[in-house]
Amino acid sequence: MEMLLWLPSPTCDVMFVVGQEQQKVFAHRCVLACRCQAFRGMLSQAPVGSSVPPQGPFILGNVQPEVFLAVIEFLYTNSVTLNSHIALEVLTSSVEYGLQDLCKLCVKFIKDTLSVEQVCEALQAAVTYGQVDLQQHCLAFIEGCTAAVVQTQGFRELSDVVLAQVLRSDRLAVDELDLVQAVREWAHVSSAVLERPVPEVAALPVRELRLPLLAPSELVTLESYNQQDLLIPVENIAAAWRAHALRRGSGVPSRLCRPRRGTRPRDHHKHLEPHAK
């Protein structure tokens, strides 16, 4: 199989040039066209004016050779050899090529090999490609080792929508003060990458921070930091102070007054939950 794909053969009648390495990959048109509608369209008669002959070469510069070979392997054998370095990219290709069975194999592999370093990237991919089962699996994994996950580069690269989804969970195993700091670091990275102000990129996730859970001394420190980057809207901090002053979660959504699994107990917590509105 490997010799057939990497080296020309009398029976091969199509060639791809893959990746920045410009790796040549040889295959059989009939196999690809029979197994995959996307390839069938690619390999059909070239458009009028095209300089690409029927046998190629077809240039696929944005795909890693190892990833493309995994797709080809699946088309020939209905199985695939994956590793943690290419699994998410093969998942992406499976969606792009409309290969649902390959997608299922990728999802199973990702679930079986999930790690702290890769779980956020896997969650982002799961949301992007509508893989609900993988989303749930990744979220449960994050809930089990939140403190480690929020320190990873993958966490800092989450989209605002996916980060907000994570922050809605009651089962995160980390204290709220640590979550605030993690979101602050995420926001500064996103601000630099997107070239947008910190308050703008963080608007959605910040809504899910449970500021009423913080003690008064922690809110004072939070306000000090907030003067520098304006991460949290003033009205959100004011609502947390009001909850302390009234000794109840007045005017605060009830979800923001619920301690998470990893929340450190504070004396005022007993006044929040029963009366939260």
Side-chain angles (χ1 to χ4, degrees), residues 87-88 91 103-104 106-114 118-119 121-127 129-142 165:
L88 287 171
L91 173 63
C103 182
K104 291 176 183 178
C106 291
V107 167
K108 182 181 186 306
F109 179 88
I110 293 166
K111 289 169 63 176
D112 290 345
T113 61
L114 211 54
Q118 291 188 319
V119 64
E121 188 179 359
L123 176 60
Q124 185 70 57
V127 173
Y129 301 126
Q131 299 296 316
V132 177
D133 183 53
L134 182 57
Q135 289 181 48
Q136 295 172 344
H137 190 85
C138 289
L139 183 57
F141 187 100
I142 291 171
Q165 178 181 329

Side-chain angles (χ1 to χ4, degrees), residues 83-95:
N83 60 60
S84 59
H85 299 294
I86 66 169
L88 287 171
E89 292 190 53
V90 177
L91 173 63
T92 298
S93 292
S94 74
V95 173

Side-chain angles (χ1 to χ4, degrees), residues 190-205:
S190 295
S191 174
V193 171
L194 300 175
E195 298 182 338
R196 292 162 50 196
V198 165
E200 184 178 325
V201 299
L204 189 60

Side-chain angles (χ1 to χ4, degrees), residues 62-166:
N62 295 325
V63 183
Q64 289 186 47
E66 190 177 3
V67 172
F68 186 70
L69 284 171
V71 174
I72 298 296
E73 177 189 359
F74 172 79
L75 294 178
Y76 273 81
T77 69
N78 213 39
S79 62
V80 65
T81 303
L82 296 171
N83 60 60
S84 59
H85 299 294
I86 66 169
L88 287 171
E89 292 190 53
V90 177
L91 173 63
T92 298
S93 292
S94 74
V95 173
E96 291 176 347
Y97 289 124
L99 299 171
Q100 294 185 1
D101 288 342
L102 177 57
C103 182
K104 291 176 183 178
L105 292 174
C106 291
V107 167
K108 182 181 186 306
F109 179 88
I110 293 166
K111 289 169 63 176
D112 290 345
T113 61
L114 211 54
S115 69
V116 166
E117 292 297 327
Q118 291 188 319
V119 64
C120 287
E121 188 179 359
L123 176 60
Q124 185 70 57
V127 173
T128 300
Y129 301 126
Q131 299 296 316
V132 177
D133 183 53
L134 182 57
Q135 289 181 48
Q136 295 172 344
H137 190 85
C138 289
L139 183 57
F141 187 100
I142 291 171
E143 290 170 342
C145 48
T146 317
V149 170
V150 299
Q151 300 298 321
T152 64
Q153 184 66 27
F155 180 84
R156 298 183 184 96
E157 294 175 353
L158 286 173
S159 70
D160 59 342
V161 172
V162 176
L163 177 56
Q165 178 181 329
V166 171

